[in-house]
């Protein structure tokens, strides 16, 4: 059977902002425009829905619960139940795009389930203690409740991995995490980067840039605090989120917070920036690859997907600088090292480095894997 004629469901964790996971969802829907989307909640603003094309979206019962638009995250204990309530029995292929619970959707033996995993549930596995510390749940009744919930999620998450026919990881870093967490191998397909939209600019201005949704994990505060000790260097910060006011209070006169910006404005800043700075251990980090596509060097914490995107100063054609520790002295040292080595990094080299993440590579790889798995599935 031609795969274009198959009934396909795509299961996504939640639709609330258009971020990296949604860029992957967009490319999956371009591969399979006939697909129907299922999501725990769908509160995506109208001005961010274009990437869904003509796909219709079915949400779970959590959509209708009190205050779910603002506090959907607080319904995490119900999300495994919610994802299991989707009736997907009419579909031939189920594709889950998961960094939380989407991969736990229930499928039947006659259905092929392929899961693109951005990460196993971070807060339930290796980053449990980090999240408990960030939210002040180290001890007491809240700590006990959170640890109990995470234990339950680990049991559920491990069990649901058995219902997947093929796991695709978004990086080598996540493939290792999948192996450690679920005990199984995965195929790697890097997320797509819109290299045509994020076009090359050779003209750079005298400012550094960082951009992210502002939660504690992203470590924007670390970058802002580092620039407080670099008064002669300017930093522009793009993004908003729950940490915005706290970070704003730390900003010195050489740091400008401009809030959330549309993609074209973000691109303009990226094209002009002296370098882009990222301080979190991302699973992949599409925004770093977008900066590289603009011809902009990246200064990044040397863990996670950054090490698969950026070519460090020890490489023949460097495109950025790593800092080894997630602290202010380490970041400042990396910025100083970048200033001393700027002539080794060219905008054209950064651009060439990013082209290997172009959407056409993602689409070709993803379609090929789904086709091959479907043929194998049909012959078993």
């Amino acid at each position: 059977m031609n795969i274009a004629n198959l009934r396909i469901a795509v299961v996504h964790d939640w639709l609330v902002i258009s971020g990296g996971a949604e860029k992957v969802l967009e490319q999956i829907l371009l591969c399979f425009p006939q697909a129907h989307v299922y999501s725990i909640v769908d509160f995506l603003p109208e001005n961010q829905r274009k990437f869904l094309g003509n796909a219709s979206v079915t949400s779970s019962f959590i959509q209708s619960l009190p205050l779910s638009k603002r506090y959907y995250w607080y319904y995490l204990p119900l999300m495994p139940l919610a994802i299991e309530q989707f009736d997907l029995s009419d579909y031939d292929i189920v594709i889950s795009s998961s960094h939380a619970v989407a991969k736990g959707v229930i499928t039947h033996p006659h259905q092929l389930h392929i899961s693109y995993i951005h990460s196993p549930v971070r807060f339930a596995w290796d980053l449990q203690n980090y999240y408990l510390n960030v939210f002040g749940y180290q001890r007491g009744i809240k700590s006990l409740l959170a640890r109990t919930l995470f234990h339950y999620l680990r049991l559920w998450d491990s069990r649901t991995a058995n219902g997947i026919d093929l796991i695709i990881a978004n990086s080598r870093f996540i493939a290792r995490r999948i192996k450690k967490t679920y005990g199984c191998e995965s195929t790697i397909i890097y997320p797509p980067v819109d290299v045509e939209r994020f076009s090359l600019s050779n003209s750079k201005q005298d400012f550094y840039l960082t951009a992210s949704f502002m939660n504690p994990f992203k470590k924007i505060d670390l970058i802002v605090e580092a620039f407080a000790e670099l008064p002669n260097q300017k930093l522009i910060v793009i993004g908003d989120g729950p940490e915005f006011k706290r970070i704003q209070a730390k900003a010195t006169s050489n740091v400008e917070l401009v809030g959330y910006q549309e993609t074209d404005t973000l691109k303009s800043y990226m094209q002009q920036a002296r370098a882009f700075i990222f301080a979190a251990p991302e699973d992949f980090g599409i925004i770093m690859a977008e900066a590289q596509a603009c011809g902009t060097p990246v200064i990044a914490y040397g863990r996670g997907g950054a090490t698969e995107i950026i070519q460090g100063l020890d490489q023949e054609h460097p495109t950025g600088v790593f800092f080894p520790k997630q602290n202010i002295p380490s970041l400042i040292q990396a910025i100083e090292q970048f200033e001393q080595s700027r002539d080794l990094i060219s905008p054209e080299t950064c651009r060439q480095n990013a082209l290997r993440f172009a959407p056409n590579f993602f689409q070709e790889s993803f379609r090929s894997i789904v086709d091959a798995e479907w043929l194998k599935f049909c012959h078993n």
Side-chain angles (χ1 to χ4, degrees), residues 110-377:
H110 65 271
Q111 294 174 302
L112 174 65
H113 181 189
I114 296 174
S115 188
Y116 188 94
I117 294 185
H118 306 271
S119 175
V121 193
R122 305 177 191 92
F123 47 83
W125 290 98
D126 54 316
L127 294 180
Q128 172 187 275
N129 290 325
Y130 173 83
Y131 277 90
L132 290 173
N133 290 336
V134 164
F135 291 102
Y137 291 173
Q138 297 97 324
R139 55 181 61 87
I141 187 64
K142 288 184 178 180
S143 176
L144 178 60
L145 290 173
R147 292 174 191 275
T148 301
L149 171 61
F150 291 164
H151 174 71
Y152 155 70
L153 280 174
R154 283 192 291 273
L155 294 175
W156 178 84
D157 193 42
S158 296
R159 178 184 61 76
T160 59
N162 296 325
I164 303 170
D165 296 291
L166 177 72
I167 292 178
I168 301 173
N170 77 347
S171 64
R172 293 194 302 272
F173 175 67
I174 291 305
R176 292 193 296 272
R177 186 179 276 173
I178 288 169
K179 177 68 174 177
K180 188 86 169 179
T181 303
Y182 306 133
C184 55
E185 303 295 335
S186 53
T187 300
I188 298 168
I189 301 180
Y190 288 119
V193 177
D194 192 348
V195 294
E196 294 305 314
R197 187 170 190 176
F198 288 86
S199 52
L200 172 66
S201 173
N202 286 288
S203 176
K204 304 299 177 185
Q205 296 188 19
D206 195 20
F207 69 87
Y208 288 86
L209 175 70
T210 189
S212 177
F213 181 70
M214 292 187 182
N215 62 31
F217 183 75
K218 298 296 185 180
K219 289 291 184 181
I220 303 297
D221 56 343
L222 168 63
I223 302 172
V224 169
E225 288 170 5
F227 273 81
E229 299 186 22
L230 296 169
N232 295 324
Q233 302 288 2
K234 182 178 180 180
L235 172 69
I236 293 177
V237 182
I238 293 178
D240 59 15
E243 290 281 283
F244 184 87
K245 288 185 178 178
R246 190 177 74 85
I247 292 168
Q248 188 177 44
K250 294 174 179 284
T252 47
S253 60
N254 61 323
V255 175
E256 182 181 359
L257 277 70
V258 297
Y260 172 80
Q261 300 294 321
E262 297 291 343
T263 302
D264 285 343
T265 304
L266 170 64
K267 178 189 74 172
S268 178
Y269 277 110
M270 276 187 173
Q271 289 173 325
Q272 299 173 62
R274 192 185 196 98
F276 184 84
I277 302 178
F278 204 84
E282 276 287 4
D283 307 326
F284 177 70
I286 288 177
I287 197 165
M288 289 182 278
E290 290 171 342
Q292 295 268 275
C294 292
T296 301
V298 175
I299 300 170
Y301 179 45
R303 284 190 60 191
T307 61
E308 299 173 54
I309 296 172
I310 301 153
Q311 306 295 317
L313 292 175
D314 59 336
Q315 301 295 308
E316 183 178 359
H317 302 292
T319 65
V321 177
F322 294 113
F323 54 99
K325 295 181 180 179
Q326 224 175 6
N327 60 36
I328 293 170
S330 186
L331 174 54
I332 289 176
Q333 185 177 14
I335 293 170
E336 291 171 346
Q337 189 177 18
F338 168 73
E339 289 289 342
Q340 295 165 7
S341 309
R342 282 180 61 199
D343 292 344
L344 299 176
I345 304 173
S346 72
E348 292 82 4
T349 301
C350 293
R351 172 75 180 176
Q352 286 300 315
N353 180 49
L355 292 180
R356 58 199 171 105
F357 305 119
N360 61 298
F361 291 122
F362 178 91
Q363 290 185 28
E364 290 167 8
S365 300
F366 199 83
R367 280 201 199 97
S368 177
I369 283 178
V370 174
D371 285 346
E373 285 301 308
W374 177 250
L375 284 174
K376 190 190 306 181
F377 185 78

